[in-house]
Amino acid sequence: MAMWVFGYGSLLWKPGFEVAESVIGRLPGYARSFCMRSIHHRGSVEQPGLVLALDAVTGTACDGIALRVAPGTEGQTLEYLRERELISSAYVEKNLDVQMADGRTVQALVYVIDAEHDQYCGGLPLEEQAQIIAKAVGGMGPNTEYLFNTASHLAQIGLHDASLEWLHARVKELCR
């Protein structure tokens, strides 16, 4: 059986594993938002950044990409993703149904936020998010790079996220 991974943030532009197929997909019941403080990759303990996570919100859906893992690489891909995504246990690994644009529904590996984790910060006003993202830097680089790459990639594939688009414009203003 094929292994699928749902990408909604950095997995859109930096999956880090061999992808055999990618299809635009929708994950019902979850919203993409900057609701996780990043203390490793895009910020530090002293000055946390923000990264995207999927927050369970009834009546919403997140559009992203379903990525089919190259056959024969499933084990190493799962190991890689767990090392990357579960660095601080703020994400929970789930297998959820993703509705793909071509009509298929697949079970995909999805990393969603643990709303009980101390890195969870759902509900921050967009202006506060912009102020944090504009300044934070972590082990994988500036928080701005993460935002700009994600917003750019969503636009390239024709997916719109009004909050992300607003943040992209506002953080560019702040960084002038």
Side-chain angles (χ1 to χ4, degrees):
M1 188 164 101
M3 178 182 174
W4 290 86
V5 177
F6 183 69
Y8 58 87
S10 63
L11 286 173
L12 295 169
W13 47 272
K14 188 180 178 185
F17 58 89
E18 192 177 342
V19 176
E21 179 183 7
S22 65
V23 181
I24 290 175
R26 173 170 283 177
L27 178 66
Y30 290 88
R32 170 185 25 243
S33 69
F34 278 99
C35 64
M36 181 174 146
R37 294 191 193 284
S38 178
I39 58 173
H40 300 288
H41 297 317
R42 297 297 175 169
S44 63
V45 172
E46 301 77 30
Q47 187 170 20
L50 293 174
V51 290
L52 292 165
L54 291 171
D55 210 354
V57 180
T58 305
T60 64
C62 176
D63 292 328
I65 296 186
L67 304 165
R68 184 166 56 85
V69 175
T73 66
E74 295 88 351
Q76 70 193 53
T77 297
L78 183 58
E79 188 176 309
Y80 163 76
L81 286 171
R82 285 178 172 165
E83 184 176 312
R84 171 181 167 166
E85 303 296 333
L86 302 178
I87 189 169
S88 65
S89 304
Y91 285 126
V92 176
E93 185 179 274
K94 294 188 174 194
N95 285 297
L96 299 170
D97 286 342
V98 172
Q99 303 159 347
M100 302 202 310
D102 63 12
R104 292 180 286 170
T105 297
V106 296
Q107 272 238 321
L109 184 64
V110 181
Y111 292 94
V112 302
I113 190 73
D114 174 0
E116 301 300 314
H117 197 278
D118 62 354
Q119 285 176 254
Y120 177 72
C121 59
L124 290 178
L126 286 175
E127 180 61 31
E128 186 176 343
Q129 292 176 39
Q131 295 291 333
I132 292 168
I133 292 167
K135 297 173 189 143
V137 178
M140 295 197 69
N143 208 170
T144 54
E145 177 186 71
Y146 176 90
L147 167 64
F148 297 159
N149 280 338
T150 303
S152 170
H153 198 81
L154 283 170
Q156 284 173 14
I157 60 176
L159 296 179
H160 300 284
D161 182 314
S163 294
L164 218 70
E165 291 165 8
W166 186 91
L167 282 167
H168 182 262
R170 179 65 178 129
V171 170
K172 277 196 170 226
E173 282 176 23
L174 291 171
C175 291
R176 282 187 192 156

